Amino acid sequence: MQKELLIKSMDYFVGQLDKLMKDMGKTGVPGCQSKDYVYVADGGNDWTDGFFAGEMNLAYEYTGNEKYKLAALKQVEILKDRIEKKFAVDHHDMGFLYSPSCIAAYDLYDNEDAKQAAIMAADNLLLRYREKGQFLQAWGPVDDNPENYRFIIDCLINLPLLYRVSDLTGDTKYKDIAEKHFRTASKYVVREDFSTNHTYYFNIEDGSPIKGVTVQGYADDSMWARGQAWAIYGMALNYRYLKDESIFEIYDGVTKAYIEHLPKDNVPFWDMVFTDGDDQPRDTSSAAIAVCGILEMEKYHPNETFRKKAEEVLESLLTKYTTEKLPYSNGFLTDSMFNRNAGHKPECSTWGDYYVMEAVYRMLNPNWKIYW
Ligand code: GLY
């Protein structure tokens, strides 16, 4: 892939981040998705609030400019306060919140507050472990309501926080729970054809498996594009920590299924049941996540076909789906789809923007020490 395109894109993303930081002021955090391609600050209560700091950390690594480090450390303060106060943390997304922000800030700047915040977030995540069924409950209170007794595929990306906190504290309880959740997820979330379920229910009385159900996909048995990308990156990240080669078969399967369902321009529709000719929105964030997953797994289990496709997908994102063409935007990528079933429109998303920046930075720096 052309280095000029990667550098031009990284420069563009850093410029957009400058606009976003200016628009957010000193303490604002962008909402999880833009409105008409412009982010405004929200109440700092989203599952996505760690990605803003993640972008700052990548910008710091790319430019060496201290202003990004200072801004990222401000976000660490905000996120530490949030976990101390237990504000809007009654869900499983502790990894999305605390890995690109606090794990990264500890690794990059040796910041003790960031380390403490990451440990508190991991402790909070462990509270969601359900022994009957052996999984981390995604949403809702950890109570006796069977409606909440399920995990979701996205949680694969929350597990690296637990592996890292075991390393930081020397306490294996975090990684033990992560591995239990991972084994359960691998068994129930991946179907025989290597498409994936979005969410999976268990019987609250005895922990027996019940069924896969979608929330953000088109149908219970379809392939929600972002879920399939979480599976690709999730397999790669869990392999990184578990080093269990049986993960390769699942990774190969979910990645092949993803690639086979891509339309001509290599950026998936929001659900992969749709293809060229369907009048449906895409999900660029899914594409960015899948590229990061393929680049991560390439370190342990290289595959030329996957690598070539990852480059084609990224090139399509960088040449057809950036916000460059818009009169004003403080985001990076157009056409990210949060939840079509909730009536959302194509927008920028903080996670789509973060992951495309990570993908480009990975391409430029194959030895990058990851935040996950
Ligand atoms: N983790 C939530 C989503 O992918 O929309």
Side-chain angles (χ1 to χ4, degrees):
M1 186 167 185
Q2 289 213 329
K3 200 168 173 195
E4 292 77 46
L5 176 61
L6 295 169
I7 290 174
K8 177 179 162 278
S9 304
M10 200 66 193
D11 289 343
Y12 179 69
F13 297 151
V14 170
Q16 291 301 98
L17 177 61
D18 284 342
K19 286 190 202 165
L20 184 62
M21 284 164 59
K22 188 160 170 279
D23 290 349
M24 292 302 118
K26 278 206 163 46
T27 53
V29 184
C32 65
Q33 55 176 342
S34 58
K35 171 135 182 27
D36 299 327
Y37 287 117
V38 179
Y39 291 107
V40 291
D42 77 353
N45 57 359
D46 270 317
W47 66 276
T48 49
D49 292 347
F51 291 118
F52 191 30
E55 290 165 9
M56 293 163 180
N57 289 324
L58 287 171
Y60 173 73
E61 291 203 74
Y62 180 63
T63 64
N65 189 327
E66 290 277 314
K67 79 173 178 186
Y68 299 113
K69 170 180 171 178
L70 293 176
L73 289 175
K74 182 73 211 166
Q75 293 299 315
V76 166
E77 242 178 70
I78 294 170
L79 285 162
K80 181 160 181 269
D81 188 57
R82 176 166 168 179
I83 192 73
E84 277 169 352
K85 295 197 170 121
K86 296 250 177 190
F87 171 65
V89 291
D90 48 354
H91 56 77
H92 71 147
D93 282 328
M94 296 303 107
F96 286 114
L97 282 167
Y98 288 88
S99 294
S101 54
C102 294
I103 289 288
Y106 178 66
D107 287 347
L108 289 171
Y109 320 124
D110 206 18
N111 182 277
E112 193 56 28
D113 282 344
K115 178 178 166 186
Q116 292 312 321
I119 295 170
M120 282 187 273
D123 284 329
N124 192 57
L125 180 52
L126 289 194
L127 299 176
R128 306 190 70 79
Y129 183 65
R130 309 303 301 248
E131 184 57 45
K132 285 184 189 153
Q134 307 210 324
F135 64 93
L136 290 157
Q137 184 185 312
W139 302 318
V142 181
D143 56 14
D144 52 8
N145 180 355
E147 284 298 309
N148 291 329
Y149 214 67
R150 63 173 158 181
F151 73 87
I152 74 172
I153 193 163
D154 322 27
C155 194
L156 293 173
I157 316 293
N158 289 318
L159 303 180
L161 175 73
L162 299 179
Y163 299 123
R164 281 302 312 274
V165 167
S166 264
D167 291 345
L168 290 175
T169 59
D171 188 337
T172 56
K173 74 178 175 205
Y174 304 96
K175 103 166 180 289
D176 291 346
I177 298 284
E179 183 165 359
K180 281 184 181 159
H181 177 95
F182 177 73
R183 300 291 171 204
T184 305
S186 301
K187 194 159 166 196
Y188 296 111
V189 96
V190 184
R191 306 184 188 115
E192 243 172 64
D193 64 356
F194 290 102
S195 65
T196 50
N197 291 303
H198 178 197
T199 86
Y200 202 93
Y201 274 106
F202 292 82
N203 183 312
I204 197 164
E205 303 299 336
D206 60 12
S208 57
I210 301 180
K211 61 177 175 179
V213 170
T214 199
V215 174
Q216 283 163 254
Y218 175 73
D220 287 343
D221 61 354
S222 70
M223 199 195 288
W224 175 46
R226 194 156 61 257
Q228 195 73 16
W230 291 139
I232 295 170
Y233 202 3
M235 289 301 146
L237 288 172
N238 281 277
Y239 179 81
R240 175 184 178 88
Y241 292 100
L242 295 174
K243 293 285 183 314
D244 170 357
E245 294 194 357
S246 70
I247 296 172
F248 292 156
E249 192 192 339
I250 310 176
Y251 167 81
D252 288 346
V254 293
T255 308
K256 192 161 169 281
Y258 188 88
I259 289 173
E260 282 170 358
H261 286 81
L262 286 172
K264 281 201 194 72
D265 83 347
N266 289 311
V267 173
F269 290 86
W270 66 279
D271 191 297
M272 297 180 105
V273 76
F274 301 115
T275 189
D276 289 306
D278 286 324
D279 184 21
Q280 293 287 334
R282 297 185 190 249
D283 180 9
T284 52
S285 75
S286 164
I289 294 159
V291 171
C292 291
I294 293 171
L295 296 180
E296 178 61 21
M297 194 57 126
E298 205 194 9
K299 298 176 195 165
Y300 325 107
H301 177 57
N303 178 313
E304 257 179 56
T305 311
F306 293 172
R307 164 75 193 206
K308 186 165 171 286
K309 186 51 80 174
E311 291 191 20
E312 287 168 6
V313 171
L314 187 56
E315 186 166 342
S316 186
L317 288 177
L318 300 180
T319 54
K320 299 198 188 91
Y321 291 96
T322 71
T323 51
E324 259 169 312
K325 54 187 177 278
L326 301 175
Y328 183 79
S329 173
N330 52 14
F332 306 179
L333 270 192
T334 63
D335 295 276
S336 177
M337 174 49 64
F338 188 3
N339 185 352
R340 188 64 178 160
N341 297 333
H344 294 152
K345 295 188 308 174
E347 285 287 350
C348 302
S349 69
T350 41
W351 67 90
D353 288 355
Y354 168 80
Y355 283 112
V356 75
M357 195 176 182
E358 180 186 304
V360 173
Y361 196 70
R362 277 178 178 274
M363 291 288 292
L364 289 168
N365 301 277
N367 296 325
W368 174 61
K369 181 172 187 333
I370 73 169
Y371 301 162
W372 304 98

